[in-house]
Amino acid sequence: MPDSNAFGAWIVYLLQKDGMLFLRGTGVTMLVAITGTVIGFVIGLLVAVARTIPIRPEDGAVKKGLLRMLRFLMAAYVEVFRGTPMIVQAVVIYYGAMQYMGIDMLPLTAAIIVISINTGAYMAEIIRGGIISVDSGQTEGAQSLGMTHWQTMVGVVLPQGVRNIMPSIGNEFVVNIKDSSVLNIISVTELFFNAKSTAGTFYHFFEAYLIAAAIYLVLTFTTTRLLRLVEKRMDGPENYTVIPGSQTDVSALVKLNTDLSVLKRGGGD
Amino acid sequence: MAYNIEIRHLRKDFGNHTVLRDIDFSVSPGDVVCIIGASGSGKSTLLRCINLLERPSGGSILFHGEDIQSRAFQVASYRARVGMVFQQFNLFYNMTALENCVIGQMKVLKRSRAESEEKAGLYLEKVGMLPYSNAKPRQLSGGQKQRVAIARALCMDPEVLLFDEPTSALDPEMVGDVLLVMRDLAKSGLTMLVVTHEMAFARDVSHRVVFMDDGVIVEDDVPGVIFNSPRQPRTREFLHRILRPNDPQ
């Protein structure tokens, strides 16, 4: 064992002794953060789209009632899970399920559920913002072709809205990497939990937690860089190729006397 | 003669402001009707009511005799048959010109991708935009975007096409290209309803001109009458302002 005040030596020593523990913790942290963000995104997407289903005056009373009910439930979900700390949600869900529903979840399962539901509430609002950010002309363009609300959302509005909110989604992901540390309260063996046990084993807290901090920083920094790349990919190529051979000028059409009679149709009945 | 579209006593309010009152008018197959009038006269709102982008507050709109506001009415397939070209183009920004023309055919008309792309290519060529099939809207000029938007509408094989000030957002030198395409369409027998400030287009191309002012139809006649001997003083005044802005009244 190194001298008790030899900082550098302790870092090396802890990594030698418990390196695998830190690595496993990192793995669990990333697993929880990634699955939580992905599932949370899907939940948020469904909630946001459900909340934007228009209630039309010509809809029947039952449909109107169901839509209002749905809107209320969605709003309640968002408010409750945004309005309480994730650490509290974790213990309530984990122990609640155990005590009253007889479900003895693995801490990892509970962790993924908690982080997904929590992220979903934030994502719902972020995605709603993304939907609003898309010009209403896009929806009108789709409607004028006869596309349904669902087709418009999936084909036109969401691809643009999601692109607009990529920075916020990245933010959520980074927050999840860091905040999954609170799940140590239900004994999930993520990075912070494992750092804590290393710290306890060797009775050297500062060094153990500093290692954890460094790992968190590497994780979040790498993640933000990767997300930047994803954004670039989504934007597509800067340039396009003009297909050669066909004329580019409309006025040439008239000279060619183009026949538009294919459009001719009877119309009335 | 059977009408495509028949409008009876149409009224539209925004809050306590009445934008359209007691509009009565109809369109027959093959008609090219231009709607003219000052800004705020309700022209665009009328067009948007026909496509149900705005809900009428009163009156009825019939499509081949069917009330488009009834609950059983199939709005989606109606919109596919009554296309719209917007002032701001409203091309889908996440898609190329070709994909813009394909998506409606595949999603609404359930055509195969191959068939949709073939049709899209055909109409993109008609409007002179085939070379730009792979371009995204943000890479195109206004006139080019509007021509793609027209191709997109045509791909649905509409029987009526509504144009909501299609050239008002364009640079002057782009207007000609778009009007040229529209002239060709008018000759082809497509039923067209065009809200426009292009008086030359209204005079030369349309079969009928509707003059609107303050939410009502003031005059509805052949272009010869509207432009040469309008019956209503309001029409005369408007045309004088538009066509000879520098003359003293």
Side-chain angles (χ1 to χ4, degrees), chain A residues 58 137-138 140 143-146 151 155 159-160 235 238 240 243 250 253 259-260 263-264 268, chain B residues 29 48 55 71 76 79 90-95 107 126-127 131 138-139 147 156 184-185 188:
Chain A
E58 75 269 20
Q138 297 287 303
E140 290 188 351
Q143 284 179 343
S144 77
L145 295 175
Q151 288 169 339
Q160 297 179 49
D235 287 341
E238 278 287 314
Y240 59 94
I243 299 164
V250 164
L253 280 180
D259 179 22
L260 282 162
L263 290 167
K264 207 168 279 176
Chain B
R48 291 168 61 82
R55 302 253 136 205
R71 269 178 63 187
R79 281 178 171 151
N90 293 352
L91 286 181
F92 306 134
Y93 281 100
N94 55 327
M95 301 176 201
K107 300 280 180 199
K126 295 275 182 225
V127 300
R138 68 184 144 87
Q139 296 160 326
R147 284 187 273 147
M156 304 299 285
D184 258 7
L185 287 175
S188 76

mmCIF file of all heavy atoms in Angstrom, chain A residues 58 137-138 140 143-146 151 155 159-160 235 238 240 243 250 253 259-260 263-264 268, chain B residues 29 48 55 71 76 79 90-95 107 126-127 131 138-139 147 156 184-185 188:
data_model
loop_
_atom_site.group_PDB
_atom_site.id
_atom_site.type_symbol
_atom_site.label_atom_id
_atom_site.label_comp_id
_atom_site.label_asym_id
_atom_site.label_seq_id
_atom_site.Cartn_x
_atom_site.Cartn_y
_atom_site.Cartn_z
ATOM 1 N N GLU A 58 -66.023 18.435 -35.243
ATOM 2 C CA GLU A 58 -66.960 17.451 -35.789
ATOM 3 C C GLU A 58 -66.750 16.050 -35.211
ATOM 4 O O GLU A 58 -67.474 15.129 -35.543
ATOM 5 C CB GLU A 58 -66.859 17.413 -37.325
ATOM 6 C CG GLU A 58 -65.631 16.723 -37.890
ATOM 7 C CD GLU A 58 -64.487 17.703 -38.110
ATOM 8 O OE1 GLU A 58 -64.515 18.788 -37.488
ATOM 9 O OE2 GLU A 58 -63.573 17.378 -38.887
ATOM 10 N N GLY A 137 -46.579 25.941 -41.955
ATOM 11 C CA GLY A 137 -46.721 25.721 -43.393
ATOM 12 C C GLY A 137 -46.386 24.291 -43.791
ATOM 13 O O GLY A 137 -46.942 23.767 -44.753
ATOM 14 N N GLN A 138 -45.479 23.662 -43.035
ATOM 15 C CA GLN A 138 -45.113 22.274 -43.329
ATOM 16 C C GLN A 138 -46.315 21.361 -43.111
ATOM 17 O O GLN A 138 -46.587 20.468 -43.912
ATOM 18 C CB GLN A 138 -43.942 21.829 -42.446
ATOM 19 C CG GLN A 138 -42.674 22.626 -42.681
ATOM 20 C CD GLN A 138 -42.018 22.260 -43.997
ATOM 21 O OE1 GLN A 138 -41.694 21.115 -44.238
ATOM 22 N NE2 GLN A 138 -41.850 23.234 -44.871
ATOM 23 N N GLU A 140 -49.448 22.346 -43.169
ATOM 24 C CA GLU A 140 -50.465 22.685 -44.171
ATOM 25 C C GLU A 140 -50.126 22.061 -45.518
ATOM 26 O O GLU A 140 -51.012 21.572 -46.222
ATOM 27 C CB GLU A 140 -50.585 24.203 -44.299
ATOM 28 C CG GLU A 140 -51.205 24.834 -43.067
ATOM 29 C CD GLU A 140 -51.506 26.305 -43.264
ATOM 30 O OE1 GLU A 140 -51.084 26.881 -44.283
ATOM 31 O OE2 GLU A 140 -52.161 26.874 -42.373
ATOM 32 N N GLN A 143 -51.096 18.488 -45.224
ATOM 33 C CA GLN A 143 -52.553 18.341 -45.221
ATOM 34 C C GLN A 143 -53.134 18.574 -46.600
ATOM 35 O O GLN A 143 -54.077 17.902 -47.010
ATOM 36 C CB GLN A 143 -53.170 19.339 -44.236
ATOM 37 C CG GLN A 143 -53.004 18.907 -42.792
ATOM 38 C CD GLN A 143 -53.610 19.911 -41.835
ATOM 39 O OE1 GLN A 143 -53.865 21.063 -42.204
ATOM 40 N NE2 GLN A 143 -53.830 19.503 -40.612
ATOM 41 N N SER A 144 -52.552 19.530 -47.332
ATOM 42 C CA SER A 144 -53.100 19.844 -48.652
ATOM 43 C C SER A 144 -52.920 18.670 -49.617
ATOM 44 O O SER A 144 -53.574 18.609 -50.645
ATOM 45 C CB SER A 144 -52.449 21.096 -49.225
ATOM 46 O OG SER A 144 -51.158 20.806 -49.719
ATOM 47 N N LEU A 145 -52.018 17.752 -49.288
ATOM 48 C CA LEU A 145 -51.866 16.555 -50.126
ATOM 49 C C LEU A 145 -52.807 15.442 -49.656
ATOM 50 O O LEU A 145 -52.899 14.403 -50.295
ATOM 51 C CB LEU A 145 -50.424 16.033 -50.058
ATOM 52 C CG LEU A 145 -49.326 16.933 -50.630
ATOM 53 C CD1 LEU A 145 -47.961 16.326 -50.375
ATOM 54 C CD2 LEU A 145 -49.530 17.143 -52.116
ATOM 55 N N GLY A 146 -53.463 15.654 -48.516
ATOM 56 C CA GLY A 146 -54.364 14.640 -47.984
ATOM 57 C C GLY A 146 -53.726 13.740 -46.944
ATOM 58 O O GLY A 146 -54.279 12.705 -46.580
ATOM 59 N N GLN A 151 -49.385 10.574 -40.501
ATOM 60 C CA GLN A 151 -48.456 10.604 -41.635
ATOM 61 C C GLN A 151 -47.667 11.911 -41.665
ATOM 62 O O GLN A 151 -46.465 11.916 -41.946
ATOM 63 C CB GLN A 151 -49.232 10.466 -42.955
ATOM 64 C CG GLN A 151 -49.784 9.069 -43.192
ATOM 65 C CD GLN A 151 -50.754 9.030 -44.360
ATOM 66 O OE1 GLN A 151 -51.327 10.050 -44.754
ATOM 67 N NE2 GLN A 151 -50.970 7.846 -44.912
ATOM 68 N N GLY A 155 -43.717 11.676 -41.230
ATOM 69 C CA GLY A 155 -42.993 11.932 -42.464
ATOM 70 C C GLY A 155 -42.392 13.323 -42.563
ATOM 71 O O GLY A 155 -41.368 13.510 -43.204
ATOM 72 N N PRO A 159 -39.249 14.518 -38.329
ATOM 73 C CA PRO A 159 -37.854 14.546 -38.790
ATOM 74 C C PRO A 159 -37.231 15.941 -38.661
ATOM 75 O O PRO A 159 -36.061 16.059 -38.303
ATOM 76 C CB PRO A 159 -37.965 14.138 -40.267
ATOM 77 C CG PRO A 159 -39.216 13.347 -40.357
ATOM 78 C CD PRO A 159 -40.145 13.943 -39.344
ATOM 79 N N GLN A 160 -38.012 16.980 -38.930
ATOM 80 C CA GLN A 160 -37.481 18.341 -38.816
ATOM 81 C C GLN A 160 -37.415 18.780 -37.360
ATOM 82 O O GLN A 160 -36.451 19.417 -36.930
ATOM 83 C CB GLN A 160 -38.357 19.320 -39.599
ATOM 84 C CG GLN A 160 -38.387 19.034 -41.078
ATOM 85 C CD GLN A 160 -39.277 20.015 -41.822
ATOM 86 O OE1 GLN A 160 -39.182 21.216 -41.657
ATOM 87 N NE2 GLN A 160 -40.157 19.478 -42.652
ATOM 88 N N ASP A 235 -27.891 16.545 -41.275
ATOM 89 C CA ASP A 235 -28.055 17.680 -42.184
ATOM 90 C C ASP A 235 -27.857 17.296 -43.642
ATOM 91 O O ASP A 235 -28.271 18.025 -44.536
ATOM 92 C CB ASP A 235 -27.069 18.790 -41.810
ATOM 93 C CG ASP A 235 -27.502 19.492 -40.540
ATOM 94 O OD1 ASP A 235 -28.689 19.369 -40.193
ATOM 95 O OD2 ASP A 235 -26.662 20.145 -39.895
ATOM 96 N N GLU A 238 -23.955 19.098 -48.283
ATOM 97 C CA GLU A 238 -24.104 20.524 -48.564
ATOM 98 C C GLU A 238 -24.535 20.744 -50.010
ATOM 99 O O GLU A 238 -25.242 21.687 -50.327
ATOM 100 C CB GLU A 238 -22.764 21.234 -48.344
ATOM 101 C CG GLU A 238 -22.468 21.575 -46.898
ATOM 102 C CD GLU A 238 -23.330 22.721 -46.410
ATOM 103 O OE1 GLU A 238 -23.451 23.721 -47.129
ATOM 104 O OE2 GLU A 238 -23.886 22.592 -45.306
ATOM 105 N N TYR A 240 -25.643 19.330 -54.094
ATOM 106 C CA TYR A 240 -26.457 18.357 -54.811
ATOM 107 C C TYR A 240 -25.948 18.292 -56.245
ATOM 108 O O TYR A 240 -25.286 19.213 -56.731
ATOM 109 C CB TYR A 240 -27.928 18.757 -54.797
ATOM 110 C CG TYR A 240 -28.200 20.101 -55.412
ATOM 111 C CD1 TYR A 240 -28.550 20.205 -56.749
ATOM 112 C CD2 TYR A 240 -28.102 21.264 -54.666
ATOM 113 C CE1 TYR A 240 -28.783 21.427 -57.325
ATOM 114 C CE2 TYR A 240 -28.341 22.492 -55.232
ATOM 115 C CZ TYR A 240 -28.684 22.582 -56.564
ATOM 116 O OH TYR A 240 -28.911 23.796 -57.124
ATOM 117 N N ILE A 243 -28.725 16.903 -62.496
ATOM 118 C CA ILE A 243 -28.741 15.788 -63.444
ATOM 119 C C ILE A 243 -28.529 16.342 -64.846
ATOM 120 O O ILE A 243 -29.299 17.184 -65.310
ATOM 121 C CB ILE A 243 -30.085 15.033 -63.363
ATOM 122 C CG1 ILE A 243 -30.266 14.479 -61.953
ATOM 123 C CG2 ILE A 243 -30.119 13.906 -64.390
ATOM 124 C CD1 ILE A 243 -31.673 14.055 -61.649
ATOM 125 N N VAL A 250 -37.138 26.846 -67.931
ATOM 126 C CA VAL A 250 -38.551 26.650 -68.189
ATOM 127 C C VAL A 250 -38.966 27.194 -69.546
ATOM 128 O O VAL A 250 -39.786 26.616 -70.237
ATOM 129 C CB VAL A 250 -39.379 27.350 -67.106
ATOM 130 C CG1 VAL A 250 -40.801 27.488 -67.560
ATOM 131 C CG2 VAL A 250 -39.346 26.545 -65.862
ATOM 132 N N LEU A 253 -39.429 25.056 -72.329
ATOM 133 C CA LEU A 253 -40.628 24.227 -72.382
ATOM 134 C C LEU A 253 -41.574 24.689 -73.472
ATOM 135 O O LEU A 253 -42.153 23.888 -74.197
ATOM 136 C CB LEU A 253 -41.372 24.309 -71.041
ATOM 137 C CG LEU A 253 -40.865 23.457 -69.903
ATOM 138 C CD1 LEU A 253 -41.757 23.705 -68.700
ATOM 139 C CD2 LEU A 253 -40.924 22.003 -70.298
ATOM 140 N N ASP A 259 -46.537 18.966 -74.089
ATOM 141 C CA ASP A 259 -47.939 18.588 -74.054
ATOM 142 C C ASP A 259 -48.351 18.265 -72.630
ATOM 143 O O ASP A 259 -47.926 17.278 -72.051
ATOM 144 C CB ASP A 259 -48.123 17.360 -74.950
ATOM 145 C CG ASP A 259 -49.565 16.894 -74.956
ATOM 146 O OD1 ASP A 259 -50.439 17.724 -74.645
ATOM 147 O OD2 ASP A 259 -49.786 15.718 -75.274
ATOM 148 N N LEU A 260 -49.174 19.113 -72.083
ATOM 149 C CA LEU A 260 -49.631 18.885 -70.707
ATOM 150 C C LEU A 260 -50.997 18.219 -70.690
ATOM 151 O O LEU A 260 -51.681 18.201 -69.682
ATOM 152 C CB LEU A 260 -49.671 20.203 -69.946
ATOM 153 C CG LEU A 260 -48.304 20.704 -69.458
ATOM 154 C CD1 LEU A 260 -48.371 22.174 -69.120
ATOM 155 C CD2 LEU A 260 -47.838 19.918 -68.245
ATOM 156 N N LEU A 263 -52.797 15.958 -68.183
ATOM 157 C CA LEU A 263 -53.515 16.435 -67.013
ATOM 158 C C LEU A 263 -55.009 16.467 -67.246
ATOM 159 O O LEU A 263 -55.792 16.569 -66.320
ATOM 160 C CB LEU A 263 -53.074 17.869 -66.692
ATOM 161 C CG LEU A 263 -51.674 18.007 -66.161
ATOM 162 C CD1 LEU A 263 -51.262 19.452 -66.195
ATOM 163 C CD2 LEU A 263 -51.663 17.482 -64.739
ATOM 164 N N LYS A 264 -55.360 16.455 -68.497
ATOM 165 C CA LYS A 264 -56.760 16.662 -68.837
ATOM 166 C C LYS A 264 -57.602 15.543 -68.232
ATOM 167 O O LYS A 264 -57.281 14.379 -68.329
ATOM 168 C CB LYS A 264 -56.918 16.689 -70.352
ATOM 169 C CG LYS A 264 -58.106 17.518 -70.802
ATOM 170 C CD LYS A 264 -58.057 17.758 -72.290
ATOM 171 C CE LYS A 264 -57.119 18.878 -72.653
ATOM 172 N NZ LYS A 264 -56.977 19.085 -74.081
ATOM 173 N N GLY A 268 -66.170 16.861 -63.688
ATOM 174 C CA GLY A 268 -67.531 16.730 -63.131
ATOM 175 C C GLY A 268 -68.203 15.428 -63.500
ATOM 176 O O GLY A 268 -67.690 14.625 -64.268
ATOM 177 N N PRO B 29 -65.990 22.282 -64.130
ATOM 178 C CA PRO B 29 -64.788 21.585 -64.605
ATOM 179 C C PRO B 29 -64.136 22.347 -65.752
ATOM 180 O O PRO B 29 -64.806 22.803 -66.668
ATOM 181 C CB PRO B 29 -65.331 20.244 -65.093
ATOM 182 C CG PRO B 29 -66.586 20.045 -64.329
ATOM 183 C CD PRO B 29 -67.160 21.398 -64.083
ATOM 184 N N ARG B 48 -58.506 29.016 -48.511
ATOM 185 C CA ARG B 48 -58.165 28.121 -47.409
ATOM 186 C C ARG B 48 -59.401 27.425 -46.842
ATOM 187 O O ARG B 48 -59.297 26.308 -46.327
ATOM 188 C CB ARG B 48 -57.418 28.890 -46.321
ATOM 189 C CG ARG B 48 -56.017 29.325 -46.780
ATOM 190 C CD ARG B 48 -55.396 30.320 -45.818
ATOM 191 N NE ARG B 48 -55.244 29.745 -44.481
ATOM 192 C CZ ARG B 48 -54.235 28.963 -44.124
ATOM 193 N NH1 ARG B 48 -53.279 28.694 -44.978
ATOM 194 N NH2 ARG B 48 -54.163 28.474 -42.909
ATOM 195 N N ARG B 55 -61.704 26.401 -40.961
ATOM 196 C CA ARG B 55 -63.076 25.918 -40.826
ATOM 197 C C ARG B 55 -64.041 27.057 -41.126
ATOM 198 O O ARG B 55 -63.966 28.094 -40.460
ATOM 199 C CB ARG B 55 -63.345 25.456 -39.395
ATOM 200 C CG ARG B 55 -62.422 24.385 -38.936
ATOM 201 C CD ARG B 55 -63.148 23.069 -38.883
ATOM 202 N NE ARG B 55 -62.259 22.073 -39.459
ATOM 203 C CZ ARG B 55 -62.666 20.939 -40.028
ATOM 204 N NH1 ARG B 55 -63.937 20.661 -40.088
ATOM 205 N NH2 ARG B 55 -61.800 20.105 -40.528
ATOM 206 N N ARG B 71 -69.806 15.027 -41.393
ATOM 207 C CA ARG B 71 -68.891 14.146 -40.655
ATOM 208 C C ARG B 71 -68.446 12.938 -41.453
ATOM 209 O O ARG B 71 -67.358 12.416 -41.258
ATOM 210 C CB ARG B 71 -69.539 13.701 -39.343
ATOM 211 C CG ARG B 71 -69.187 14.651 -38.206
ATOM 212 C CD ARG B 71 -69.853 14.238 -36.929
ATOM 213 N NE ARG B 71 -69.394 12.928 -36.472
ATOM 214 C CZ ARG B 71 -69.930 12.285 -35.447
ATOM 215 N NH1 ARG B 71 -70.936 12.811 -34.795
ATOM 216 N NH2 ARG B 71 -69.465 11.106 -35.086
ATOM 217 N N ALA B 76 -59.398 13.619 -46.273
ATOM 218 C CA ALA B 76 -58.075 13.335 -46.834
ATOM 219 C C ALA B 76 -58.143 13.094 -48.340
ATOM 220 O O ALA B 76 -57.371 13.666 -49.112
ATOM 221 C CB ALA B 76 -57.451 12.138 -46.129
ATOM 222 N N ARG B 79 -58.840 16.299 -50.183
ATOM 223 C CA ARG B 79 -57.679 17.181 -50.329
ATOM 224 C C ARG B 79 -56.721 16.675 -51.395
ATOM 225 O O ARG B 79 -56.043 17.455 -52.051
ATOM 226 C CB ARG B 79 -56.950 17.299 -48.999
ATOM 227 C CG ARG B 79 -57.640 18.268 -48.045
ATOM 228 C CD ARG B 79 -56.900 18.299 -46.751
ATOM 229 N NE ARG B 79 -57.370 19.353 -45.871
ATOM 230 C CZ ARG B 79 -57.311 19.255 -44.547
ATOM 231 N NH1 ARG B 79 -56.825 18.178 -43.993
ATOM 232 N NH2 ARG B 79 -57.737 20.245 -43.800
ATOM 233 N N ASN B 90 -44.234 25.964 -49.012
ATOM 234 C CA ASN B 90 -44.463 24.871 -48.062
ATOM 235 C C ASN B 90 -43.925 23.533 -48.545
ATOM 236 O O ASN B 90 -44.528 22.490 -48.311
ATOM 237 C CB ASN B 90 -45.953 24.745 -47.723
ATOM 238 C CG ASN B 90 -46.448 25.952 -46.945
ATOM 239 O OD1 ASN B 90 -45.641 26.797 -46.544
ATOM 240 N ND2 ASN B 90 -47.734 26.044 -46.724
ATOM 241 N N LEU B 91 -42.790 23.570 -49.217
ATOM 242 C CA LEU B 91 -42.120 22.313 -49.554
ATOM 243 C C LEU B 91 -41.575 21.713 -48.269
ATOM 244 O O LEU B 91 -41.223 22.433 -47.339
ATOM 245 C CB LEU B 91 -40.960 22.578 -50.514
ATOM 246 C CG LEU B 91 -41.319 22.907 -51.953
ATOM 247 C CD1 LEU B 91 -40.048 23.123 -52.755
ATOM 248 C CD2 LEU B 91 -42.153 21.806 -52.577
ATOM 249 N N PHE B 92 -41.492 20.391 -48.230
ATOM 250 C CA PHE B 92 -40.964 19.735 -47.037
ATOM 251 C C PHE B 92 -39.451 19.897 -47.022
ATOM 252 O O PHE B 92 -38.763 19.444 -47.924
ATOM 253 C CB PHE B 92 -41.362 18.262 -47.020
ATOM 254 C CG PHE B 92 -42.845 18.068 -47.162
ATOM 255 C CD1 PHE B 92 -43.358 17.128 -48.034
ATOM 256 C CD2 PHE B 92 -43.735 18.847 -46.428
ATOM 257 C CE1 PHE B 92 -44.728 16.963 -48.176
ATOM 258 C CE2 PHE B 92 -45.098 18.691 -46.559
ATOM 259 C CZ PHE B 92 -45.590 17.749 -47.436
ATOM 260 N N TYR B 93 -38.947 20.527 -45.978
ATOM 261 C CA TYR B 93 -37.532 20.887 -45.955
ATOM 262 C C TYR B 93 -36.621 19.690 -45.694
ATOM 263 O O TYR B 93 -35.433 19.762 -45.932
ATOM 264 C CB TYR B 93 -37.282 21.989 -44.923
ATOM 265 C CG TYR B 93 -37.694 23.321 -45.467
ATOM 266 C CD1 TYR B 93 -38.907 23.895 -45.133
ATOM 267 C CD2 TYR B 93 -36.882 23.983 -46.380
ATOM 268 C CE1 TYR B 93 -39.302 25.103 -45.673
ATOM 269 C CE2 TYR B 93 -37.262 25.177 -46.937
ATOM 270 C CZ TYR B 93 -38.477 25.746 -46.579
ATOM 271 O OH TYR B 93 -38.863 26.920 -47.129
ATOM 272 N N ASN B 94 -37.199 18.616 -45.177
ATOM 273 C CA ASN B 94 -36.361 17.448 -44.888
ATOM 274 C C ASN B 94 -36.243 16.511 -46.081
ATOM 275 O O ASN B 94 -35.707 15.423 -45.960
ATOM 276 C CB ASN B 94 -36.914 16.694 -43.672
ATOM 277 C CG ASN B 94 -38.365 16.300 -43.841
ATOM 278 O OD1 ASN B 94 -39.146 17.007 -44.470
ATOM 279 N ND2 ASN B 94 -38.737 15.153 -43.304
ATOM 280 N N MET B 95 -36.791 16.916 -47.233
ATOM 281 C CA MET B 95 -36.784 16.010 -48.390
ATOM 282 C C MET B 95 -36.251 16.705 -49.626
ATOM 283 O O MET B 95 -36.313 17.921 -49.749
ATOM 284 C CB MET B 95 -38.216 15.557 -48.695
ATOM 285 C CG MET B 95 -38.886 14.836 -47.566
ATOM 286 S SD MET B 95 -40.576 14.456 -48.010
ATOM 287 C CE MET B 95 -41.238 14.233 -46.372
ATOM 288 N N LYS B 107 -48.135 7.847 -49.657
ATOM 289 C CA LYS B 107 -48.885 7.782 -48.400
ATOM 290 C C LYS B 107 -50.390 7.889 -48.620
ATOM 291 O O LYS B 107 -51.168 7.211 -47.957
ATOM 292 C CB LYS B 107 -48.453 8.908 -47.458
ATOM 293 C CG LYS B 107 -46.996 8.886 -47.067
ATOM 294 C CD LYS B 107 -46.733 7.889 -45.963
ATOM 295 C CE LYS B 107 -45.256 7.915 -45.613
ATOM 296 N NZ LYS B 107 -44.809 6.737 -44.917
ATOM 297 N N LYS B 126 -41.888 18.636 -66.566
ATOM 298 C CA LYS B 126 -42.850 19.601 -67.109
ATOM 299 C C LYS B 126 -42.594 21.013 -66.591
ATOM 300 O O LYS B 126 -42.791 21.980 -67.301
ATOM 301 C CB LYS B 126 -44.292 19.208 -66.723
ATOM 302 C CG LYS B 126 -44.759 17.907 -67.316
ATOM 303 C CD LYS B 126 -45.318 18.082 -68.707
ATOM 304 C CE LYS B 126 -45.828 16.759 -69.244
ATOM 305 N NZ LYS B 126 -45.397 16.528 -70.629
ATOM 306 N N VAL B 127 -42.200 21.095 -65.315
ATOM 307 C CA VAL B 127 -41.979 22.433 -64.749
ATOM 308 C C VAL B 127 -40.505 22.832 -64.845
ATOM 309 O O VAL B 127 -40.102 23.842 -64.281
ATOM 310 C CB VAL B 127 -42.452 22.524 -63.279
ATOM 311 C CG1 VAL B 127 -43.931 22.217 -63.170
ATOM 312 C CG2 VAL B 127 -41.646 21.593 -62.389
ATOM 313 N N PRO B 131 -33.718 18.477 -63.454
ATOM 314 C CA PRO B 131 -32.285 18.447 -63.107
ATOM 315 C C PRO B 131 -32.040 18.647 -61.614
ATOM 316 O O PRO B 131 -30.973 18.306 -61.116
ATOM 317 C CB PRO B 131 -31.705 19.615 -63.909
ATOM 318 C CG PRO B 131 -32.692 19.867 -64.991
ATOM 319 C CD PRO B 131 -34.024 19.502 -64.457
ATOM 320 N N ARG B 138 -33.890 24.114 -49.456
ATOM 321 C CA ARG B 138 -33.079 25.264 -49.052
ATOM 322 C C ARG B 138 -31.979 25.581 -50.064
ATOM 323 O O ARG B 138 -31.353 26.631 -49.988
ATOM 324 C CB ARG B 138 -32.492 25.026 -47.658
ATOM 325 C CG ARG B 138 -31.459 23.940 -47.576
ATOM 326 C CD ARG B 138 -31.011 23.701 -46.141
ATOM 327 N NE ARG B 138 -30.739 22.290 -45.897
ATOM 328 C CZ ARG B 138 -29.566 21.694 -46.122
ATOM 329 N NH1 ARG B 138 -28.553 22.404 -46.572
ATOM 330 N NH2 ARG B 138 -29.416 20.414 -45.883
ATOM 331 N N GLN B 139 -31.760 24.649 -51.008
ATOM 332 C CA GLN B 139 -30.730 24.895 -52.018
ATOM 333 C C GLN B 139 -31.322 25.500 -53.293
ATOM 334 O O GLN B 139 -30.606 25.751 -54.253
ATOM 335 C CB GLN B 139 -30.022 23.571 -52.356
ATOM 336 C CG GLN B 139 -29.270 22.994 -51.159
ATOM 337 C CD GLN B 139 -28.985 21.518 -51.291
ATOM 338 O OE1 GLN B 139 -29.771 20.771 -51.858
ATOM 339 N NE2 GLN B 139 -27.863 21.091 -50.746
ATOM 340 N N ARG B 147 -41.982 26.035 -58.469
ATOM 341 C CA ARG B 147 -42.229 25.099 -59.564
ATOM 342 C C ARG B 147 -42.243 23.657 -59.044
ATOM 343 O O ARG B 147 -43.047 22.836 -59.489
ATOM 344 C CB ARG B 147 -41.190 25.283 -60.671
ATOM 345 C CG ARG B 147 -41.485 26.540 -61.495
ATOM 346 C CD ARG B 147 -40.573 26.659 -62.684
ATOM 347 N NE ARG B 147 -39.335 27.342 -62.355
ATOM 348 C CZ ARG B 147 -38.169 27.061 -62.928
ATOM 349 N NH1 ARG B 147 -38.077 26.085 -63.812
ATOM 350 N NH2 ARG B 147 -37.090 27.740 -62.597
ATOM 351 N N MET B 156 -50.452 14.421 -57.624
ATOM 352 C CA MET B 156 -51.607 13.783 -56.996
ATOM 353 C C MET B 156 -52.759 13.623 -57.998
ATOM 354 O O MET B 156 -53.838 13.184 -57.632
ATOM 355 C CB MET B 156 -52.091 14.605 -55.797
ATOM 356 C CG MET B 156 -51.032 14.879 -54.743
ATOM 357 S SD MET B 156 -50.376 13.385 -53.990
ATOM 358 C CE MET B 156 -51.749 12.950 -52.916
ATOM 359 N N ASP B 184 -49.544 27.136 -69.036
ATOM 360 C CA ASP B 184 -49.591 25.821 -69.674
ATOM 361 C C ASP B 184 -50.652 24.937 -69.035
ATOM 362 O O ASP B 184 -51.386 24.230 -69.713
ATOM 363 C CB ASP B 184 -48.221 25.140 -69.553
ATOM 364 C CG ASP B 184 -47.450 25.232 -70.859
ATOM 365 O OD1 ASP B 184 -47.943 25.936 -71.770
ATOM 366 O OD2 ASP B 184 -46.388 24.604 -70.957
ATOM 367 N N LEU B 185 -50.708 25.001 -67.697
ATOM 368 C CA LEU B 185 -51.691 24.189 -66.979
ATOM 369 C C LEU B 185 -53.105 24.624 -67.343
ATOM 370 O O LEU B 185 -53.994 23.793 -67.541
ATOM 371 C CB LEU B 185 -51.493 24.326 -65.469
ATOM 372 C CG LEU B 185 -50.275 23.634 -64.893
ATOM 373 C CD1 LEU B 185 -50.157 23.966 -63.420
ATOM 374 C CD2 LEU B 185 -50.400 22.139 -65.089
ATOM 375 N N SER B 188 -54.289 23.174 -70.376
ATOM 376 C CA SER B 188 -54.445 21.728 -70.374
ATOM 377 C C SER B 188 -55.826 21.281 -69.924
ATOM 378 O O SER B 188 -56.160 20.117 -70.007
ATOM 379 C CB SER B 188 -53.401 21.102 -69.454
ATOM 380 O OG SER B 188 -53.791 21.299 -68.113
#
